[in-house]
Amino acid sequence: MPPPTATLSVASSSSSLSLFPFSSYSCSKQPQLRFCPSPTPTRLTHFTPLTTPNYPIGKLMTPSAVSIEKETMISERPHTFLRETDGKDDGSIRARFQRMIMEVQDSVCGALEALDGTGKFKEDSWTRPGGGGGISRVLQDGAVFEKAGVNISVVYGVMPPEAYRAAKAAATDLKPGPVPFFAAGISSVLHPKNPFAPTLHFNYRYFETDASKDAPGAPRQWWFGGGTDLTPAYIFEEDVKHFHSIQKRACDKFDSSFYPRFKKWCDDYFYIKHRGERRGLGGIFFDDLNDYDQEMLLSFATECANSVIPAYIPIVKKRKDTPFNESHKAWQQLRRGRYVEFNLVLNPVIIKLDRFDILDFSKSDR
């Protein structure tokens, strides 16, 4: 396969080739991608940047800075991973967010199994002695999906004051002593077999510090984060428009500024600087979101998570049986290498809360 060029080229079994200028599915500071009104997909090759993104990535919490207990495997999934002191299902944000991610895990896994036809998710459940736990589900070598993981984590831990300061950039809030925290989230990466069907990543999470105002540590804080993004090896205009329309519809139900704001955030973040290219074709991304009503943001995160199925399943259903050859598969593998490269090179500092995947509650989420 020839090396990437500074173009987007049509890639099909007929070996026809044409070039396209750039348009709107990128951030404003990068060369942008324009799609032709054609059923033939374009192949994502290489972007040459005009400037580097100017979005501040922020501060990081290092793994060594945070204390999280080792997990213990269990034979059956519990009804809740919340501590007794949190109540089992008391209507709190913690309880409702946990219920939401469990329901989304069930619905997404059900939709993927129905589409695959033969593949089934294998489930592992785990807990930690001090409270919390998670459910990891993996479907591998199915008829449609090469590998799909949909995982939830509910985690309690302790961070030192300096880690809290790094996470929140709020030295004036800081009091001496460790800072207990609660974190819950759902994280998923879906890899279809067919090179013409795109990879999807989504992650929605809630973070809360546990210390009360009068206790040693930091004052209680909370925030939401997450996003859904699409990474195709071959680009179909109608698929990208469909995917982004679902993201916009979910955002517009709450605030008309959300979609352009979170789309740009996604475009700027998923950018491989040393290659001058993006990981994929974006979606939405947000982090440290607490400047709106908490109930509204819970509803917003729920709406976004529930939008995964209508945004993604119709695309895979349409592309899963498209004929492909070894060249197409090789290109898919190269693009997957870029996906891994982004996580290893640009997002190496994480808090590992889950055995299969990561839920990053730092200021530099995936």
Side-chain angles (χ1 to χ4, degrees), residues 129 182 191 195 200 238 279 308 327:
F182 167 88
H191 290 295
L200 184 84
E238 59 187 299
R279 190 177 80 174
V308 168
S327 176

Side-chain angles (χ1 to χ4, degrees), residues 20-94:
F20 299 96
F22 294 97
S23 155
S24 63
Y25 288 106
S26 268
C27 74
S28 59
K29 293 195 176 184
Q30 304 301 328
Q32 297 180 334
L33 172 66
R34 181 173 297 161
F35 301 90
C36 70
S38 164
T40 306
T42 57
R43 186 172 74 182
L44 184 62
T45 59
H46 185 79
F47 294 91
T48 302
L50 297 176
T51 60
T52 56
N54 196 32
Y55 188 82
I57 295 299
K59 287 80 179 174
L60 298 172
M61 292 190 294
T62 63
S64 61
V66 179
S67 171
I68 302 175
E69 294 175 312
K70 182 177 177 60
E71 68 262 13
T72 302
M73 302 305 298
I74 55 177
S75 57
E76 294 184 8
R77 58 179 291 180
H79 173 68
T80 181
F81 292 105
L82 296 177
R83 288 173 173 168
E84 292 287 344
T85 52
D86 281 344
K88 292 297 184 182
D89 194 358
D90 61 357
S92 67
I93 296 293
R94 293 184 181 191

Side-chain angles (χ1 to χ4, degrees), residues 127-366:
T127 60
R128 291 193 171 101
I135 302 168
S136 301
R137 291 182 182 171
V138 179
L139 184 158
Q140 194 161 359
D141 298 324
V144 174
F145 291 97
E146 203 163 303
K147 191 167 186 180
V150 186
N151 310 302
I152 63 170
S153 293
V154 175
V155 176
Y156 296 85
V158 177
M159 68 177 82
E162 57 270 20
Y164 174 82
R165 178 189 294 154
K168 293 300 297 176
T172 56
D173 287 345
L174 197 61
K175 297 180 182 179
V179 182
F181 71 86
F182 167 88
I186 181 167
S187 182
S188 176
V189 180
L190 312 175
H191 290 295
K193 285 186 172 180
N194 195 301
F196 295 103
T199 290
L200 184 84
H201 160 253
F202 72 91
N203 179 312
Y204 292 96
R205 57 204 177 277
Y206 175 70
F207 186 98
E208 189 178 287
T209 58
D210 225 1
S212 63
K213 289 183 177 179
D214 298 325
R220 184 179 297 276
Q221 297 281 352
W222 58 266
W223 61 88
F224 290 86
T228 303
D229 60 279
L230 194 70
T231 306
Y234 293 89
I235 305 169
F236 294 87
E237 177 183 12
E238 59 187 299
D239 294 351
V240 180
K241 284 184 175 179
H242 167 78
F243 176 78
H244 277 269
S245 71
I246 300 297
Q247 308 311 307
K248 185 176 186 301
R249 185 172 70 189
C251 291
D252 286 352
K253 290 182 179 181
F254 297 88
D255 191 311
S256 61
S257 71
F258 277 6
Y259 175 72
R261 175 184 169 191
F262 299 153
K263 177 188 177 298
K264 183 180 185 304
W265 198 335
C266 186
D267 289 336
D268 287 353
Y269 182 72
F270 290 106
Y271 176 72
I272 306 173
K273 292 182 180 180
H274 65 280
R275 291 193 181 275
E277 67 182 63
R278 287 188 182 76
R279 190 177 80 174
L281 290 180
I284 58 172
F285 174 90
F286 57 92
D287 197 15
D288 194 20
L289 199 61
N290 62 2
D291 50 350
Y292 296 83
D293 177 74
Q294 195 175 25
E295 290 287 338
M296 181 267 223
L297 291 179
L298 174 62
S299 297
F300 172 59
T302 302
E303 180 71 23
C304 291
N306 285 332
S307 296
V308 168
I309 293 174
Y312 185 60
I313 294 297
I315 297 175
V316 180
K317 187 179 295 185
K318 187 185 301 183
R319 307 301 172 192
K320 65 183 178 68
D321 298 318
T322 303
F324 64 90
N325 56 36
E326 290 183 4
S327 176
H328 297 135
K329 195 65 180 175
W331 180 253
Q332 180 193 47
Q333 295 298 89
L334 187 148
R335 295 310 306 173
R336 283 183 180 173
R338 294 288 200 273
Y339 191 99
V340 174
E341 184 177 295
F342 173 86
N343 287 336
L344 292 177
V345 175
L346 296 180
N347 196 31
V349 183
I350 61 172
I351 303 174
K352 193 176 189 310
L353 303 180
D354 186 310
R355 297 185 315 106
F356 173 80
D357 199 4
I358 58 170
L359 298 174
D360 180 3
F361 296 92
S362 76
K363 300 287 287 185
S364 181
D365 186 44
R366 297 157 58 199

Side-chain angles (χ1 to χ4, degrees), residues 104-114 121 137 139 149-151 309:
V104 170
Q105 185 185 45
D106 287 342
S107 63
V108 169
C109 289
L112 295 176
E113 286 185 345
F121 279 91
R137 291 182 182 171
L139 184 158
V150 186
N151 310 302
I309 293 174

